Amino acid sequence: MQDKIKALLQEIASFSSASAGEVEQFRLKFLSKKGIITDLFEDFKHVPADQKKAAGVLLNDLKNKVQEKINTLKQAHESSGDHGKSGMDLTRPAEQVELGARHPISIVRNQIIEIFSRIGFTIAEDREIEDDWHNFTALNFPEEHPARDMQDTFFIEKNPDIALRTHTSSVQIRTMEKTTPPIRMIFPGRVFRNEAISARAHCIFHQVEGLYVDKNVSFADLKQTLLYFAKEMFGEKTQIRLRPSYFPFTEPSGEMDVSCLICGGKGCNICKYTGWVEILGCGMIDPSVLENCHIDSSVYTGFAFGMGIERTTMLKYQIKDLRLFFENDIRFLEQFKGSY
Ligand code: DAH
């Protein structure tokens, strides 16, 4: 037994370790319940009486040396920063966790919502799968209107009455049907059109619809609301221009251009050298649309507008290709870090 202990003493003396994990292994080997020291104390019972004294001294010495060795090694590792039982250095700086960025469409959608909430517009959303009444008929689209054509609209194969909505104007109808004026709301959402994908068009895109119905709502209210929006969105110096246009559900109808942010009106390839960029359609709600929703058009008037979020985002951030919004290329997306 004494020889065995002497050999172990040597082993302990020559032990050195690379990591805290190895020190822990060493401790378990000697000091755990099933470790060498416990075994030796067990064997000690059978040592002949005349050798007991010397063996006892050696055994206690061995136990102390193990403990001392562990203490010194642990201290050495702690001061060099190696703390963990697993050998991990917990004092090292953690790996940087990359934060994601919000998608530019979400950023601009949130900005639009924020700008209109400041002047009392509330927000609602509605379904993307619509029936003919809400997407077309109630909005005054004549039976033979080309927008109903299979080429523009995604119909549900088994039911020609059901389609993916082609614009958020359907939410105007849904809202007016179930609410009594005054109504002052905006409706953001996804819309679908059967278009070939290019730098300027996509089959899925986003719109925000605006609706204001009350007594005495006039075209001047519409114009002032849109001017306020354009200045908040694109900057104080922004000017707007309303051009006459046609939509079945508004009369009169207009399209709004904003002065080109990029060249300040001098002419560039974003504004196609006109100094103006079109961003939305608008108008006074046609009385028959109000009547379709059981709103008395002799008492109430209203305006509506609808803008493309992609178009607005492209202008705001000078993005030249619409496809970038759908590709999820991290190099594109991470440029919007920090915006909400
Ligand atoms: N729904 C139209 C479109 O998708 C945009 C629009 C035009 C909406 C005039 C309106 C409006 O509310 O008054 O092209």
Side-chain angles (χ1 to χ4, degrees), residues 166-167 169 172 193 207 209-210 247 249-250 281-283 304-306:
T166 57
H167 51 184
S169 301
Q172 286 186 33
R193 282 185 207 173
Q207 292 186 331
E209 194 79 12
F247 297 102
F249 40 95
T250 42
C282 61
F305 57 86

